Amino acid sequence: MEGMDHLAHERNKTEFDVDAMKIVWAGSRHAFELSDRMARLVASDPAFRKDDRTRLGRKELFKNTLRKAAHAWKRILELRLTEEEAGQLRNFVDEPSFTDLHWGMFVPAIKGQGTDEQQQKWLPLAYKMQIIGCYAQTELGHGSNVQGLETTATFDPDTDEFVIHSPTLTSSKWWPGGLGKISTHAIVYARLITNGQEHGVHGFIVQLRSLDDHMPLPGITIGDIGMKFGNGAYNTMDNGVLKFDNIRIPRNQMLMRVLQVTREGKCVQSNVPRQLIYGTMVFVRQTIVADASTALSRAVCIATRYSAVRRQFGSQDGGMETQVIDYKTQQSRLFPLLASAYAFRFVGEWLKWLYTDVTQRLQAKDFSTLPEAHACTAGLKSLTTTATADAIEECRKLCGGHGYLCASGLPELFAVYVPACTYEGDNVVLLLQVARFLMKTVSQLHSGKKPVGTTAYLGWKKASEDWSKPGVVLEAFEARSARMCVACAKNLSKFENPEDGFAELSADLVEAAVAHCQLIVVSKRKGEPDVTPATARGESDHHNKDEGFIDKLQQDIPGKGVKQQLQNLYYIYVLNLVHKYLGDFLSTGCITPKQASLANDQLRSLYSQIRPNAIALVDAFNYTDHYLGVGSRSL
């Protein structure tokens, strides 16, 4: 029956303050009020309707996206929204668009890599959208291997210009969003060549289309790469292909914050450390982790509500059938995903702190934490996006046949999200980068160098005995990761050529990297002195101001029952990982078979405690039906 609250009886069971949990999920009251206001603004505006998106053809779909982008810009100007409010409004419009790359990649690249003069020239134009930019790095032949890019930027001292050229078919820029139809400019990454010498890959601001008639400029071949996976989904985005035929740009359009090319063609390092550009990378990957928690929570919200409404089997004497959510098989698949959504949310908050910390250190020319920051962001990007893509598909299956309908909101959510597993670094490649960092850290133990931060556990020797003691679960994760890393390091030492060993053992190294990244999600805390063996011994931890899931449980959290629910979710997350990777824990001697059995018993108990609060826990996400994409109209 339309208008009826089919979940009212579920909400009446709630054992905690839902409004207080909404603040915890949002991060602050300010963040909650802002997102709530923007979500409702979008949901109430017919111009942002999206219930017919999966039925539109590509051309009409793209036109629809242009209309929405124009309307969003109009509303931003009319309401005089702040940059933060405007970002949230675009987020709740919930449609991949050229504006994503303009604001998310083009503008940050100029901010991070442009000189003060370049920022003064280009940013006002970008902020007013008098120019629209994209980020042209990936090529047809190279993606993750940035150093293998083939596009060249050769300096011509006679004209004081760079000649941008695509020497091969595989050097064509491929995939940049916004490139196919819309962008007037691009940040183009190319091999810098001066006086016959190469100086690595650098960024250049290149105009692509005329600002008068929007036609491609001479020497530029440009187009859309075609349909992508799914109905609607990323087909609202004009991902493009781009080739250069010896086109020329002024010398001052090379982004020169770090490296400058003089009038004579000499490369001069600026007084800005080249490592500063890594701050942008940390920011982008932190955003991806935050997006993972959002996408996962949307899928879990749909699946949880469906599971509570759907009834199947169990009818006796003509009575009502059993709610699907009451089956333990459903709970064991669904509730760990709910817990993961919260876990990823909190590790995303920690990454925000990491970005701020790294930026401040880089500005002070302190590069000591950069390798770890790179490993953390690379690993967490890989871990959270892979888990989220798999979880969205699991949520679809949790909704039975109805999950396959576009009206469920799940097929399009999946199609939009899965590219996150390959953009901004292929997930397996990123884990191998984490593994290199871990192997280097292990190799330095023999020299007496103590690991710090997220790798401090590699210097501890522990054996968990009593599963019921506080912290034993965490110690088991530390011991598992440490022993897997040490085992890989020992096997690597058997090879005369380390690179041969790395290639041969790459599958084992990826597993060790996953274990390390799972530990990060499980263990992030503010560093209370009684939490870890390292701090108990008085050792320093340069991550002593971060905040994660464990830290939430250390605080006084306002709201009746909120802390208890977070604690239940935390233990579901960690104990489900123990169950899922039981072989790792047992083979490395981190836990005993008896402890494994106790973990499963505790999981079943936790599912029962979460059950009456499940609907309220997804209500705390505060998502509108418009944002969830549910209830699309039929033909």
Side-chain angles (χ1 to χ4, degrees), residues 17-29:
D17 185 336
V18 180
D19 289 335
M21 186 67 86
K22 288 179 179 180
I23 305 300
V24 172
W25 174 261
S28 68
R29 181 167 295 279

Side-chain angles (χ1 to χ4, degrees), residues 1-66:
M1 292 180 289
E2 193 172 347
M4 178 180 178
D5 184 356
H6 295 279
L7 294 172
H9 66 290
E10 287 289 332
R11 293 183 170 114
N12 288 335
K13 299 177 184 177
T14 304
E15 301 168 339
F16 70 96
D17 185 336
V18 180
D19 289 335
M21 186 67 86
K22 288 179 179 180
I23 305 300
V24 172
W25 174 261
S28 68
R29 181 167 295 279
H30 165 77
F32 166 73
E33 292 176 349
L34 188 150
S35 64
D36 182 64
R37 189 169 68 254
M38 291 300 106
R40 296 179 187 282
L41 176 66
V42 170
S44 63
D45 192 330
F48 293 127
R49 170 188 168 186
K50 64 178 185 180
D51 57 353
D52 60 346
R53 191 164 62 190
T54 56
R55 301 195 308 275
L56 298 178
R58 179 78 198 286
K59 188 173 182 179
E60 186 55 39
L61 194 64
F62 187 65
K63 285 183 177 179
N64 192 42
T65 300
L66 293 181

Side-chain angles (χ1 to χ4, degrees), residues 162-234:
F162 285 107
V163 180
I164 312 295
H165 185 57
S166 306
T168 63
L169 174 64
T170 52
S171 68
S172 304
K173 295 298 180 184
W174 188 267
W175 275 118
L179 172 63
K181 299 289 184 183
I182 299 299
S183 295
T184 61
H185 290 69
I187 303 294
V188 175
Y189 285 86
R191 308 180 78 86
L192 172 62
I193 302 173
T194 64
N195 299 320
Q197 291 186 328
E198 282 201 18
H199 301 276
V201 174
H202 295 270
F204 300 81
I205 301 174
V206 181
Q207 185 172 346
L208 307 176
R209 292 181 169 95
S210 167
L211 297 181
D212 296 322
D213 59 11
H214 204 64
M215 294 298 292
L217 296 179
I220 292 178
T221 302
I222 200 168
D224 186 278
I225 62 175
M227 289 289 288
K228 279 86 65 177
F229 180 73
N231 291 29
Y234 247 91

Side-chain angles (χ1 to χ4, degrees), residues 398-450:
L398 283 163
C399 293
H402 294 302
Y404 195 62
L405 280 171
C406 287
S408 74
L410 291 168
E412 191 172 11
L413 177 60
F414 179 75
V416 167
Y417 190 75
V418 287
C421 295
T422 45
Y423 65 56
E424 287 303 307
D426 174 86
N427 281 358
V428 174
V429 173
L430 292 178
L431 288 174
L432 289 171
Q433 293 176 8
V434 176
R436 285 189 181 275
F437 167 71
L438 293 172
M439 293 305 98
K440 182 177 180 180
T441 303
V442 172
S443 70
Q444 293 174 337
L445 293 175
H446 301 293
S447 64
K449 184 177 180 179
K450 294 181 179 180

